Amino acid sequence: MLMNLRSSELKHTNQILMKAAFFLFLTVSISLVQAQMPPELVTAERTKILSKVQSVPKSGSPGPIAIWGNIAFPILSAPDKEGVEIAVASAAGYGKGRIILFGHNSFLDGGLGGDHAQLMENCVKWVGAKDKPRLGLLSVNAISFYDQHGFRTEKFEGPMVAKTLKDYDVIIANIQGITDPAEGSALAQWIKEGGGFIGGMTGWAFSQTSGGKELSVSHGVNQALMAAGIAITDMSAFDQLTAFTARPILPRLMNASEAVNAIKKQASGTAPLTPEDVKQSSNAIQIALAAQPPDRSNLRDAVTAALGATGGSGPLPTQEAPLTQAAHASARIRLGMETRVLRLAASEAVTAHPAHVAFPGQTPADSPRITQEIPINPAIPGWTSTGLYAAAGETVTITVPPSHADKGYAVRIGCHSDTLYHLDTWQRAPDITKSTPLTAPVTKTASAFGGLIYIEVPSRAAESAAMTVIISGAVSSPFFVLGKDDDAKWNTELKKRPGIWAEMACENLIISFPSSVARNVNNPTELMTFWQKVVAAQDEITNQTAERKRPERIVADVQISAGYMHSGYPIMIPTSAAPEMVTFSRLKFPGWGFYHEIGHNHQRGDFTFDGTGEVTNNVIGMYCYHEVLKKDWLIGHPAISEEARKENLQKIKRAPIKWQAWKSDPFLALTTYIQLMQEFGWDSWHQYLHSFADSSFGPAPKGDDERRDQFLIRYSKITQKNLGPFFDAWGIPVSAEAKAEVSKLEPWMPKGM
């Protein structure tokens, strides 16, 4: 076993295995990707890395590590809701050296608690192939931690060059911002010659931290380490997880090469896969493909050969006949591979993908292609709507002033930015938008799926001069702007434009939905005035009016990445809800879900503690019924009816552990807030949310314990009532000190408590 060999033997064995794997690879068809090390050897190595480790807490929002190398395997993993294992940390041998990658940089400092410290000590010894390797830390503030564990540790500044690297046996680096290909090449060569490397970064955030660049194309270090068959990805996972359980035995099909071989054998009839194996294999391949650059990839070639025909020749997803993991595994892998390649393909060398016909739809062939000037305000970051649509597979040309080229601006085709790779069912292709940096005065681009055209304005552009962009080759789409257009213009001209997706905009909100729905709207002025009031009301009550830098966005999609609707930029809703979004009258108006999701975008940590992530946004949403709709604010949802609230009072009285019941049931918890609004009015909520900007209330809370304490203290002071007994009745834990601070006020308890 590798784990029982001396340092020199360890390196020699790595080298032998690599040479053997490479020799085998040369002697077989490219259609067969070489499998990983024998399972018993993988288990032995993983066992050493996880020695004395039971559990490691999750920190931040880590993403998956792609695995496909001959000597590459997962270390820490967790199952998703379908039971499919996803790795947050993986290891690989490369030449004479070793690599461990983590899907978040917070794993590098050993300070997460649990058995994290033990894990990092083990990792250092494993990649260093000795008990006391010399450590060099780059962008990792953990010298004292590693010193305390007996390692000789230094912090060094970049760049990573051969002269610097040779001073250390092991490098531990946060590679989030270390993107230079030259550094990647130097690091890879150093590892190949026997160095040990532990790296981590938040892959899904790379686009944000790099000004819109693609991880699989532009991260030099990640690219260089791909030679070992592991890589950071731009995917996210582990949302509901709190900790990773250490397990020496993990599925062999987490390695994409092993998965490709398994699928090839199943196709030939020599080794049938179980449904669970199909899911695991598909997932491993999708994650590995996420890391591949758009140019030639041996892994992609192997996947193509194993699956057979490409180019959309297999079944395609529709809302009526979705592709499922169980029934269409090969088709899903193929389509997932195609969409990843298409998103990163050379800008104008793209043809229409057959899946676009079902969604987002086919542009009428006789629609005029036009040229239009679009004014851009650099003070408004995010997506600037153009009112234009790019037909699938057709080149559009974007011209910007030379002064604004290569300044972080980009052209986006498509508003349907949710990716669906992780879902068990696909009603559309899993990734259908494309963003191309405007690095030159003239940029040509195309999308295989088509979509509304936007100019993406970087946040750092605020101080630059306004500009006009010229877009050619696009189709005009229905686009209404409150204050610029009127109902007459909409009904006689704008709604008749041929683009198949439409938008309506006011100062604080832009909604995107099918043109077939838009053409049934006759009162856009009234509609968008209403939406303007909704966002303005939530801005004001939460004291965020001054914070707003760009409009909210709501986009209708045939399938979204999570939930019925979800918050974010943009807020995503199902296309089935689009008619409700654009129907406003005294008898019918858009409902709860919209205010709920906009409310999520207005939540802040100061007033949202554990258990209230799906609660305080609803309080903000209920305010819209009161302030904007001028309706009874308790009519919005059946779960807050009088009967439901009475039942919640009984639930909390019966609960053996009130706090656990309270924080695990959003509508039960919401009843607490409803009682406060009923007794003290919406002005009390207004004062509470604004109190965090009022120095007389003291500093903002740090951590959940302080958030609950300050909820009690601030609300008690605002209402001039001692709410301590009320909090006790609901089981909300607050400190004795917080209760003492409001103890001189008159106690208050609502009727029925």
Side-chain angles (χ1 to χ4, degrees):
M1 296 292 180
L2 269 175
M3 61 183 291
N4 295 321
L5 300 179
R6 293 192 302 272
S7 170
S8 60
E9 293 172 323
L10 283 166
K11 294 177 181 177
H12 184 60
T13 303
N14 271 354
Q15 192 174 29
I16 290 173
L17 286 169
M18 283 294 290
K19 287 181 177 178
F22 183 65
F23 174 76
L24 287 170
F25 184 77
L26 291 177
T27 59
V28 299
S29 166
I30 189 71
S31 65
L32 179 64
V33 175
Q34 204 57 49
Q36 65 186 96
M37 295 185 295
E40 62 273 15
L41 190 56
V42 172
T43 299
E45 292 304 292
R46 189 185 296 117
T47 297
K48 184 169 185 179
I49 297 171
L50 297 178
S51 176
K52 300 179 183 179
V53 177
Q54 299 296 320
S55 178
V56 177
K58 186 189 82 168
S59 178
S61 299
I65 301 295
I67 312 166
W68 70 95
N70 306 103
I71 310 177
F73 55 91
I75 301 171
L76 276 183
S77 172
D80 67 7
K81 64 180 181 179
E82 300 294 330
V84 174
E85 293 285 345
I86 301 173
V88 74
S90 299
Y94 182 51
K96 298 178 182 179
R98 295 177 169 192
I99 303 167
I100 289 178
L101 292 182
F102 287 93
H104 198 280
N105 56 287
S106 63
F107 287 100
L108 303 176
D109 64 10
L112 298 182
D115 297 321
H116 184 214
Q118 181 66 59
L119 172 67
M120 296 313 298
E121 179 179 339
N122 296 347
C123 287
V124 170
K125 292 178 179 179
W126 189 85
V127 297
K130 61 176 66 172
D131 285 340
K132 301 293 181 182
R134 298 167 299 163
L135 301 190
L137 305 187
L138 181 59
S139 302
V140 177
N141 296 317
I143 290 179
S144 60
F145 168 78
Y146 289 105
D147 279 348
Q148 289 169 9
H149 285 77
F151 302 114
R152 292 170 291 167
T153 311
E154 292 180 2
K155 188 175 181 180
F156 71 97
E157 302 296 329
M160 289 187 288
V161 295
K163 183 178 180 181
T164 302
L165 295 172
K166 69 179 181 60
D167 292 334
Y168 307 105
D169 299 311
V170 172
I171 299 295
I172 303 176
N174 174 4
I175 59 173
Q176 190 78 36
I178 308 173
T179 60
D180 187 345
E183 289 191 76
S185 296
L187 177 64
Q189 184 61 34
W190 173 79
I191 296 170
K192 198 172 183 179
E193 293 171 357
F197 180 71
I198 302 173
M201 65 178 286
T202 310
W204 58 263
F206 178 71
S207 178
Q208 302 170 27
T209 60
S210 66
K213 295 180 180 179
E214 293 284 349
L215 178 65
S216 62
V217 175
S218 302
H219 198 289
V221 174
N222 199 40
Q223 287 291 297
L225 298 182
M226 287 177 66
I230 59 173
I232 307 286
T233 71
D234 62 1
M235 304 174 74
S236 60
F238 318 112
D239 288 346
Q240 305 303 317
L241 197 70
T242 58
F244 295 90
T245 301
R247 291 167 292 160
I249 298 177
L250 291 172
R252 65 184 178 86
L253 295 177
M254 292 178 70
N255 182 299
S257 295
E258 192 78 64
V260 171
N261 282 334
I263 289 175
K264 185 175 177 67
K265 290 177 181 177
Q266 174 173 260
S268 67
T270 59
L273 295 176
T274 67
E276 292 73 22
D277 285 343
V278 170
K279 288 184 179 181
Q280 186 65 65
S281 298
S282 300
N283 185 75
I285 293 170
Q286 292 286 11
I287 292 174
L289 288 173
Q292 308 303 310
D295 51 4
R296 184 175 176 81
S297 162
N298 286 341
L299 176 65
R300 190 180 304 120
D301 292 342
V303 173
T304 300
L307 296 177
T310 61
S313 59
L316 298 172
T318 66
Q319 190 172 20
E320 297 75 22
L323 295 186
T324 66
Q325 187 73 274
H328 309 98
S330 295
R332 282 166 56 95
I333 294 171
R334 181 185 300 115
L335 180 57
M337 180 172 61
E338 290 169 357
T339 56
R340 293 185 191 283
V341 173
L342 287 168
R343 183 168 61 86
L344 300 174
S347 293
E348 55 181 317
V350 170
T351 57
H353 192 285
H356 91 276
V357 176
F359 192 86
Q362 190 166 20
T363 302
D366 59 355
S367 302
R369 274 54 173 174
I370 66 171
T371 296
Q372 189 166 320
E373 294 186 351
I374 306 294
I376 303 297
N377 182 353
I380 303 176
W383 307 354
T384 296
S385 296
T386 65
L388 299 174
Y389 194 90
E394 293 189 15
T395 299
V396 292
T397 302
I398 299 90
T399 304
V400 301
S403 59
H404 288 72
D406 203 22
K407 294 295 175 63
Y409 291 88
V411 57
R412 162 175 286 276
I413 299 178
C415 58
H416 303 100
S417 55
D418 271 14
T419 57
L420 312 180
Y421 296 108
H422 62 293
L423 298 180
D424 191 51
T425 298
W426 292 351
Q427 297 178 31
R428 63 161 170 84
D431 190 355
I432 61 174
T433 64
K434 183 173 183 177
S435 179
T436 303
L438 298 175
T439 56
V442 178
T443 300
K444 294 180 181 294
T445 189
S447 162
F449 296 92
L452 288 166
I453 301 173
Y454 305 89
I455 300 300
E456 296 182 317
V457 179
S459 57
R460 63 179 182 273
E463 302 303 320
S464 60
M467 68 167 169
T468 297
V469 173
I470 301 172
I471 300 177
S472 300
V475 176
S476 183
S477 280
F479 184 34
F480 176 89
V481 179
L482 184 66
K484 174 186 173 184
D485 304 313
D486 56 29
D487 290 0
K489 185 177 181 181
W490 169 257
N491 288 305
T492 59
E493 176 193 346
L494 301 180
K495 68 166 32 175
K496 298 178 181 179
R497 290 176 177 176
I500 59 175
W501 279 80
E503 291 195 317
M504 292 183 177
C506 56
E507 183 181 1
N508 287 346
L509 179 71
I510 301 172
I511 55 177
S512 310
F513 52 103
S515 294
S516 57
V517 175
R519 294 183 182 114
N520 292 323
V521 177
N522 298 317
N523 59 338
T525 298
E526 182 182 31
L527 174 68
M528 296 315 296
T529 298
F530 159 74
W531 279 121
Q532 174 65 23
K533 290 179 179 178
V534 167
V535 179
Q538 293 205 12
D539 282 354
E540 202 285 322
I541 192 93
T542 58
N543 198 26
Q544 294 173 42
T545 301
E547 290 183 24
R548 181 159 301 285
K549 299 295 188 291
R550 66 185 182 189
E552 302 285 347
R553 284 186 173 272
I554 303 178
V555 171
D557 194 336
V558 70
Q559 185 179 17
I560 67 176
S561 61
Y564 175 68
M565 298 180 178
H566 72 71
S567 59
Y569 184 83
I571 293 167
M572 299 299 299
I573 68 168
T575 48
S576 59
E580 179 184 353
M581 179 172 64
V582 297
T583 301
F584 176 75
S585 69
R586 293 180 180 177
L587 298 178
K588 183 177 180 181
F589 44 82
W592 181 274
F594 297 96
Y595 317 131
H596 172 100
E597 302 302 346
I598 298 173
H600 270 309
N601 284 0
H602 283 81
Q603 285 176 308
R604 296 294 183 267
D606 288 344
F607 59 84
T608 303
F609 49 84
D610 183 28
T612 61
E614 294 294 333
V615 180
T616 57
N617 62 311
N618 280 335
V619 184
I620 298 167
M622 287 190 303
Y623 179 68
C624 295
Y625 286 86
H626 165 79
E627 179 64 19
V628 181
L629 293 165
K630 308 298 184 183
K631 300 280 187 179
D632 177 356
W633 51 273
L634 291 171
I635 66 172
H637 198 288
I640 61 171
S641 66
E642 183 176 2
E643 294 75 16
R645 299 197 309 274
K646 287 179 179 178
E647 174 56 27
N648 285 332
L649 292 178
Q650 296 306 311
K651 282 183 183 178
I652 201 66
K653 290 177 180 179
R654 295 191 301 262
I657 304 176
K658 290 184 177 182
W659 171 233
Q660 186 60 42
W662 192 93
K663 68 177 182 177
S664 62
D665 186 338
F667 282 104
L668 185 148
L670 184 59
T671 305
T672 302
Y673 291 83
I674 289 173
Q675 288 180 322
L676 291 172
M677 302 312 125
Q678 286 179 313
E679 179 68 21
F680 303 111
W682 283 104
D683 186 58
S684 67
W685 179 246
H686 182 281
Q687 290 183 60
Y688 170 59
L689 298 188
H690 282 244
S691 74
F692 297 101
D694 185 344
S695 59
S696 68
F697 283 90
K702 297 178 181 178
D704 269 7
D705 290 344
E706 286 192 19
R707 291 186 184 104
R708 293 192 303 272
D709 278 359
Q710 291 202 26
F711 182 24
L712 169 65
I713 294 168
R714 290 169 186 258
Y715 230 99
S716 293
K717 290 182 177 179
I718 289 166
T719 61
Q720 286 298 294
K721 299 291 184 182
N722 176 4
L723 300 180
F726 175 65
F727 275 47
D728 287 342
W730 280 107
I732 304 172
V734 290
S735 68
E737 291 79 9
K739 290 180 180 179
E741 189 166 340
V742 300
S743 61
K744 294 182 179 180
L745 297 172
E746 179 185 357
W748 172 80
M749 188 72 71
K751 294 179 181 179
M753 287 293 289

